[in-house]
Amino acid sequence: SLGIAVFRTVVGGAMDVETQLIELIFSTGAFVVAWSWVLVYYSVAHVLTGESPLAEQIGLGRRSQKDSLFVLLLPYLVVCAAVAVVSANLRLSPSRYAAVAVKAVEFFPSPVFNGVLLALLGRFSGGLQLCILNLAFSWVVAAAVHSLPTTGRAGAVGEIMRNTVGFGLGVAWNYLMSMAKPVLTHFVASTIYLGVVLLLAARLAAPEPRADHLMSRHAALLSFASRVVCAFTLSDWLSTAIGMPGWIGGVCCLLMLLLIASFTSAILARADFAALAEHSRGRAEQKGWGEGLLGWLRFVPCVWCCCPWVPFLWLLGSSTPGVKDRWLNLTTDVCALAASIAGTNLITIGVDSLAAVSGICVVGACDAWAFVCLEVGVASLVSVSLIFLISEIRPPTALVLDAGPAEPFLGGAP
């Protein structure tokens, strides 16, 4: 009976991949627009602290690690407040470009908080124990922010902050896993790790949304953080698999993400999860204590090696009403964020090349403010071009963004 249920899952249902691909392109473009201006923000932070804008371009720079917590958080809080105001005004705009702008603006504070978090974590990068403490600290902060009220004017700022701390929790986990980077650079090990985080993210996204209370917010926080982890892990995995740096590697990464999103969306769109959910409920009613004991074996990694189908059966057992849409949104979110990372790398390579060709930055010297002006020009060009192009394929529900209380700037239509 399980085989029949799986067969119906694979071949049943209707395929509607076009909508998901449109949402993927829409989200990727909006994220790239945001990242292009985040690069400007990072460069300005470098220049103000007297560092070269070419040093650690994704981050606030090494000298920021010596700043006080207040100095690091003040610009971030100002950005969150400004974004809340701008987003509210953009949502009232009848312009067809408003949807792209809203998504880009609401995503902008997350990489900003990422820079703040990396500056804080950089102070304590003294081994595995401190990395674990950093992760625990990030989790406590994220959980505390998610407990704040969600109504009123302060609630709008709090909503933006909840997005950013979820992003930061994912970054903190990646920072912890960077301790195992020599192992994860091996293709087989990185593939296994990618599979594990994708399965966990799918499992976290499977339950139906619950009423707004503290536990549901925390569940949404973990689901959002898992998507961030999956996106960065998928981006790193593709870089390892392709093995070509520079422009060629970046373009190949974007094409591969498009193929991955198309293939995964096609499978999910054809899936008949109702039949599988009915089968799972029937099995749960008949399950005895022996089967329950054996069920714990699915959490043993050694079992995954000899029985690789076990985690997939565990994942399929989480089928609930509406899980197909939630997994389609998960696919779009992960691939869009990973594609925006690849697009950001292309922008960075392009800006650095233009700076070298124009003589703004040469070996051992760089005109810092001229480099910032160059980045502003590139960000403006990227923003105008992408917003104009993406608005032509604007999803009809682009301003009705779903994905739970902790992630309104990710996900597609409800």
Side-chain angles (χ1 to χ4, degrees):
S1 58
L2 179 59
I4 294 174
V6 173
F7 176 79
R8 293 183 62 185
T9 299
V10 174
V11 303
M15 179 183 294
D16 187 16
V17 182
E18 182 180 355
T19 302
Q20 290 302 122
L21 292 182
I22 290 176
E23 181 62 28
L24 172 65
I25 296 172
F26 178 86
S27 299
T28 300
F31 294 161
V32 171
V33 169
W35 275 111
S36 66
W37 289 103
V38 170
L39 293 175
V40 176
Y41 180 90
Y42 286 160
S43 293
V44 172
H46 279 73
V47 174
L48 292 179
T49 56
E51 290 187 75
S52 170
L54 294 178
E56 297 185 7
Q57 289 174 280
I58 305 298
L60 299 177
R62 290 187 176 275
R63 294 188 181 180
S64 63
Q65 298 176 6
K66 301 179 181 179
D67 292 336
S68 65
L69 183 61
F70 175 78
V71 172
L72 288 173
L73 288 180
L74 181 60
Y76 158 71
L77 295 175
V78 172
V79 166
C80 288
V83 164
V85 174
V86 173
S87 175
N89 291 330
L90 284 175
R91 287 180 178 274
L92 300 176
S93 173
S95 173
R96 63 177 181 175
Y97 306 117
V100 187
V102 166
K103 200 156 193 172
V105 166
E106 291 185 349
F107 180 72
F108 179 83
S110 292
V112 172
F113 182 75
N114 176 44
V116 174
L117 185 63
L118 290 178
L120 290 173
L121 299 182
R123 303 178 182 182
F124 311 108
S125 56
L128 178 62
Q129 181 179 2
L130 287 175
C131 286
I132 294 175
L133 291 176
N134 288 330
L135 175 63
F137 172 76
S138 302
W139 195 338
V140 169
V141 171
V145 171
H146 273 69
S147 65
L148 297 177
T150 58
T151 58
R153 293 183 178 180
V157 180
E159 190 68 26
I160 299 296
M161 292 179 63
R162 279 187 285 275
N163 302 333
T164 62
V165 295
F167 191 92
L169 180 58
V171 171
W173 173 260
N174 288 333
Y175 195 85
L176 172 62
M177 294 308 299
S178 67
M179 299 294 296
K181 195 160 188 178
V183 177
L184 293 180
T185 52
H186 192 279
F187 183 72
V188 175
S190 62
T191 303
I192 295 174
Y193 175 66
L194 174 63
V196 171
V197 296
L198 286 175
L199 284 171
L200 290 176
R203 184 72 183 196
L204 288 171
E208 294 183 83
R210 294 173 291 180
D212 184 22
H213 53 76
L214 189 58
M215 292 300 296
S216 65
R217 294 184 193 178
H218 192 262
L221 164 66
L222 295 180
S223 179
F224 180 30
S226 68
R227 300 180 188 211
V228 175
V229 172
C230 288
F232 280 91
T233 305
L234 179 58
S235 179
D236 292 340
W237 180 82
L238 284 174
S239 299
T240 303
I242 295 172
M244 292 184 293
W247 288 94
I248 298 178
V251 173
C252 290
C253 185
L254 289 174
L255 294 176
M256 287 296 297
L257 285 168
L258 181 62
L259 291 175
I260 292 172
S262 302
F263 180 75
T264 307
S265 297
I267 294 177
L268 292 175
R270 293 173 62 90
D272 185 6
F273 287 106
L276 190 58
E278 183 66 27
H279 172 80
S280 298
R281 283 193 293 268
R283 291 290 295 174
E285 294 174 357
Q286 303 173 6
K287 185 169 62 174
W289 68 269
E291 287 181 302
L293 179 61
L294 291 174
W296 287 98
L297 292 177
R298 62 176 176 252
F299 298 109
V300 180
C302 295
V303 176
W304 303 349
C305 298
C306 63
C307 306
W309 58 86
V310 169
F312 292 98
L313 294 179
W314 170 66
L315 175 62
L316 293 175
S318 63
S319 297
T320 56
V323 70
K324 179 191 293 188
D325 291 335
R326 291 191 288 276
W327 280 350
L328 284 171
N329 286 337
L330 171 66
T331 301
T332 301
D333 293 344
V334 172
C335 291
L337 186 52
S340 72
I341 295 170
T344 304
N345 292 335
L346 291 177
I347 293 176
T348 303
I349 294 172
V351 171
D352 292 350
S353 300
L354 288 175
V357 171
S358 61
I360 294 177
C361 292
V362 295
V363 179
C366 184
D367 188 338
W369 286 111
F371 184 85
V372 171
C373 292
L374 176 63
E375 280 200 321
V376 170
V378 171
S380 301
L381 179 62
V382 168
S383 300
V384 172
S385 302
L386 288 180
I387 289 177
F388 176 78
L389 293 174
I390 295 173
S391 63
E392 299 298 324
I393 60 170
R394 172 178 178 266
T397 54
L399 285 180
V400 188
L401 303 176
D402 182 40
E407 43 189 326
F409 62 79
L410 292 177

